[in-house]
Amino acid sequence: MLLNRRSLMLGAAAGLGSIAAKSQFGTAYAQGLGSANALKYEAVDAIPNAGRFHGKLAYSGPPVEPIEMRVTKDSSICGEGVRSVQPLRVAEDGGLADAVVQIRGITRGKPWQPVFDTTKIYQIDCSFQPFVQIGKNTADAEIFNFDPILHNIHAYEVHSGIRRAMFNFSQPKAGQVDFIPLRLRRGHLVTIDCNAHNWMAAWVYTSPSPYIAVTTVEGRFEINDIPPGNYEVVAWHPVLGERTGALTIGPNDDLGFNLVLS
Amino acid sequence: MCIFKKSALLIGFVLATSHSVLAQQVTVDPSLFTEGTALYLEHCSVCHGIEGDGKGPLATGFSPRPRDLTKSSFKFRSTGVGEFPTQSDLLDTLNRGVSGSYGSSMPSFDFLNERELLALVEVVRYVSGIDQFGVAVAPPPRPVNVDMDHAQELYRELSCAGCHGYDGNGQGDLAVGLLDDDGLPIKPANFRTGHFKGGADPENIWMRIYTGMSGTPMPAFGRNTSAADIWAVTEYVIKLSNEE
């Protein structure tokens, strides 16, 4: 598979099935556009006959070559020569890490764990870590620089194949921490890059409900406490794009799910 | 939008709050919008497109391209990181234009009267989905004396030279390959030309460093760099722009 920097940064954004919220200039004068991500969700203490959805995502496409990018500055920290970036993390048995599995359509269910109120973005060894994470749709971001060099944190909201700049600020020194609301306006996906080191990339996938998971390095995921019902399931990876399907959870179901992406 | 930081290194925001004025609420005015629509079609749509998407008939002749207003990302702001501009910021850009060579500039619209300019701003606000204007930050007074050795060191330390070059000629190590939000090539400013797109007054240059330029690789330095150090860099940039 041929990939380049654009694959890493823009990913498969063009294939996302988000709800278009583009303004129709001159036809509907109004104050605000609202947000497709601002869906209502109510947390409840008990979920009768809750089900579980778990499984594995795997990759079976052609071998993916690392993307090599020239280090043009800060080589004492970022390394000499070229920086090799692996856009897909695939286990020996094909298990795909860094993919998101989300169940859409649940408006009432388990509460979010507080850790998802704040996404953490670490700049270490001239990379953003983690590469992919999930967060509540009202989450804030806490951004740390552990490198003794300047990074800039350039965040974009990705929606309907378009990137909209959210913020772009510098952290010139190690030990700096900034706290900033994400405030997505139209979509649910954030991508972050650093213009000083163009191999750096990270993604934050936000959701109104906590029925979402990121696959482990083995490609595994688990979502539990699901209210019985009919939903949509989404599998997404920054490079491989999105797949959707129908999902029915019956009372006390324990559903296994395996999906191979290519 | 409320933006704050947790760490002890909160120089930038302390400055922001101490010099802020109240955010302006948006007042919807259909008659102003109607007037603005006609003005927009006459003066702006040829570059910024009928729908404000930056795809007017002349757009492809520009580098960087005319702003896609629907992305609600504005280069010239006096507001904090991630915030919308103020109404005055938009008025200033219309009044001042965007300085640059052919193919990278926007004319001044200072020939329009105040209401006409406000009407155009209202169209821009609507197209951009601005539901509340940002909170303005004013630069502290320009210092009388600046240690230029320190200023030069900051210029290097803050990686200004990485894009703009040590001589300010826009040819730093990172200059080739920089992209704007649309993925199109964008050049760092060449200070030696004396053109400053956001205005050449020292306060304008200070603000560009403080807030960054949204939609471009130029980040905001105001969160993690003191106002005094931003003034020092500003003076160094002015010095570079005055050199032969």
Side-chain angles (χ1 to χ4, degrees), chain A residues 5-6 22-33 70 72-74 118 120 140 142 150 152-154 156 162-183 185-186 195-198, chain B residues 1-7 9 26 28-30 33 37 40 50-51 53 70-73 81-82 84 122-123 125-131 157-159 162 173-174 178-181 183 215-221 223-225:
Chain A
R5 169 172 159 74
R6 186 173 169 79
K22 186 182 175 187
S23 69
Q24 294 300 306
F25 176 49
T27 59
Y29 179 57
Q31 274 188 265
L33 291 172
R70 194 165 65 90
T72 52
K73 67 192 290 282
D74 304 320
T118 306
K120 307 276 188 183
D140 302 318
E142 196 166 22
L150 177 141
N152 72 295
I153 301 93
H154 200 161
Y156 310 84
I162 294 171
R163 295 197 313 174
R164 181 187 74 81
M166 297 170 72
F167 54 81
N168 177 14
F169 64 91
S170 67
Q171 287 187 326
K173 295 176 181 174
Q176 291 178 320
V177 185
D178 283 88
F179 193 81
I180 186 164
L182 286 177
R183 301 281 174 85
R185 301 181 66 228
R186 296 174 187 174
N195 299 105
H197 310 100
N198 64 2
Chain B
M1 184 179 289
C2 174
I3 294 172
F4 58 95
K5 63 179 292 165
K6 276 183 170 175
S7 75
L9 299 165
V26 166
V28 175
D29 183 340
F33 179 76
T37 302
Y40 179 91
I50 288 175
E51 295 205 359
D53 57 5
T70 67
K71 285 189 169 181
S72 41
S73 176
V81 169
F84 287 133
E122 180 56 10
V123 171
R125 181 201 70 74
Y126 167 70
V127 172
S128 306
I130 296 174
D131 48 13
E157 199 175 274
L158 296 176
S159 293
D173 292 340
L174 297 176
L178 288 178
L179 302 175
D180 67 11
D181 277 9
T216 80
M218 172 69 185
F221 285 84
R223 291 179 75 90
N224 292 302
T225 305

Side-chain angles (χ1 to χ4, degrees), chain B residues 163-236:
Chain B
C163 294
H164 297 284
Y166 285 100
D167 297 331
N169 59 6
Q171 296 178 17
D173 292 340
L174 297 176
V176 176
L178 288 178
L179 302 175
D180 67 11
D181 277 9
D182 294 321
L184 298 172
I186 188 168
K187 293 177 183 173
N190 176 354
F191 302 139
R192 316 287 286 218
T193 65
H195 287 302
F196 290 93
K197 288 177 178 290
D201 291 344
E203 287 76 13
N204 295 139
I205 298 170
W206 185 96
M207 194 62 77
R208 297 291 78 75
I209 301 170
Y210 183 88
T211 66
M213 298 175 75
S214 299
T216 80
M218 172 69 185
F221 285 84
R223 291 179 75 90
N224 292 302
T225 305
S226 71
D229 280 352
I230 292 177
W231 264 123
V233 176
T234 300
E235 297 295 346
Y236 191 70

Side-chain angles (χ1 to χ4, degrees), chain A residues 25-144:
Chain A
F25 176 49
T27 59
Y29 179 57
Q31 274 188 265
L33 291 172
S35 167
N37 201 27
L39 302 173
K40 294 271 189 271
Y41 179 74
E42 180 188 0
V44 295
D45 293 333
I47 300 154
N49 305 312
R52 175 173 173 254
F53 183 62
H54 58 96
K56 182 172 180 176
L57 267 60
Y59 174 74
S60 74
V64 177
E65 299 298 325
I67 304 169
E68 297 204 329
M69 297 184 192
R70 194 165 65 90
V71 178
T72 52
K73 67 192 290 282
D74 304 320
S75 55
S76 62
I77 304 298
C78 302
E80 299 280 352
V82 296
R83 188 90 179 194
S84 187
V85 180
Q86 180 56 265
L88 297 185
R89 289 201 298 161
V90 182
E92 284 188 6
D93 67 351
L96 178 67
D98 303 318
V100 172
V101 179
Q102 182 191 28
I103 302 174
R104 290 182 182 163
I106 302 176
T107 56
R108 198 165 181 271
K110 67 180 177 180
W112 277 96
Q113 293 176 31
V115 68
F116 293 106
D117 288 343
T118 306
T119 60
K120 307 276 188 183
I121 296 161
Y122 301 98
Q123 293 156 108
I124 306 171
D125 185 30
C126 294
S127 66
F128 285 122
Q129 296 181 20
F131 177 46
V132 174
Q133 66 181 297
I134 55 175
K136 200 172 175 179
N137 61 345
T138 54
D140 302 318
E142 196 166 22
I143 301 165
F144 302 75

Side-chain angles (χ1 to χ4, degrees), chain B residues 63-64 75-76 93 96-108 189 193-200 213:
Chain B
S63 179
K75 282 183 184 173
F76 310 119
T93 301
R96 187 178 57 227
V98 178
S99 172
S101 55
Y102 177 77
S104 66
S105 59
M106 182 181 100
S108 162
T193 65
H195 287 302
F196 290 93
K197 288 177 178 290
M213 298 175 75

Side-chain angles (χ1 to χ4, degrees), chain A residues 175-211:
Chain A
Q176 291 178 320
V177 185
D178 283 88
F179 193 81
I180 186 164
L182 286 177
R183 301 281 174 85
L184 285 107
R185 301 181 66 228
R186 296 174 187 174
H188 57 263
L189 193 56
V190 179
T191 183
I192 299 168
D193 68 20
C194 170
N195 299 105
H197 310 100
N198 64 2
W199 57 84
M200 293 175 65
W203 294 83
V204 180
Y205 193 110
T206 68
S207 168
S209 90
Y211 294 98

